[in-house]
Amino acid sequence: DLLASDGRWWVGGKTELFPLAGYKNKEEMRELLSNLILPMPNGLKMTIKNMIAEDDRVAAEVESYGEAANGRLYNNEYHFLFILRDGLIVEAKEYLDTMHTADVFIRP
């Protein structure tokens, strides 16, 4: 809900190797999160490890923890960069362990 209607979210990785990578608009990001996170039986806990803000930018180191719907443990580390305008995110960049994400959510 904090992503502006014209906002975009970038997920790190090569799109030919990691299909979740690349830029997504608000609706694409909502669909991606709904398909990955909502089916998690106990949700996904996100813990902020460090955060810093300057002007219109916020950088955060975050760790996630949860059990995926397929029973696999998802425990990833991220670096997020958020660019804000009028209290909303207009751009986000998400750096994460793409191999771990693929192992948990994509690979059979």
Side-chain angles (χ1 to χ4, degrees):
D1 289 338
L2 292 177
L3 186 62
S5 59
D6 62 342
R8 61 188 195 158
W9 194 289
W10 177 84
V11 177
K14 305 291 184 197
T15 54
E16 64 273 12
L17 300 174
F18 183 62
L20 305 178
Y23 278 103
K24 312 250 182 303
N25 64 31
K26 184 172 185 167
E27 190 54 41
E28 292 167 329
M29 199 61 198
R30 185 185 314 267
E31 183 177 334
L32 179 122
L33 292 174
S34 292
N35 291 332
L36 292 181
I37 306 307
L38 291 181
M40 297 181 87
N42 299 309
L44 183 66
K45 181 180 178 184
M46 302 291 281
T47 303
I48 298 169
K49 301 293 187 172
N50 287 297
M51 183 182 292
I52 189 167
E54 183 176 309
D55 299 325
D56 64 348
R57 295 168 189 266
V58 176
E61 293 176 318
V62 178
E63 181 178 1
S64 67
Y65 187 88
E67 181 184 333
N70 60 17
R72 295 178 183 155
L73 178 64
Y74 185 62
N75 182 211
N76 212 334
E77 295 180 1
Y78 312 80
H79 182 274
F80 292 102
L81 174 64
F82 301 107
I83 301 173
L84 308 171
R85 180 183 67 224
D86 299 326
L88 295 174
I89 299 166
V90 292
E91 185 161 348
K93 290 191 172 185
E94 176 180 339
Y95 300 86
L96 70 159
D97 181 345
T98 57
M99 183 171 280
H100 175 62
T101 303
D103 284 342
V104 172
F105 293 110
I106 299 172
R107 296 197 176 107

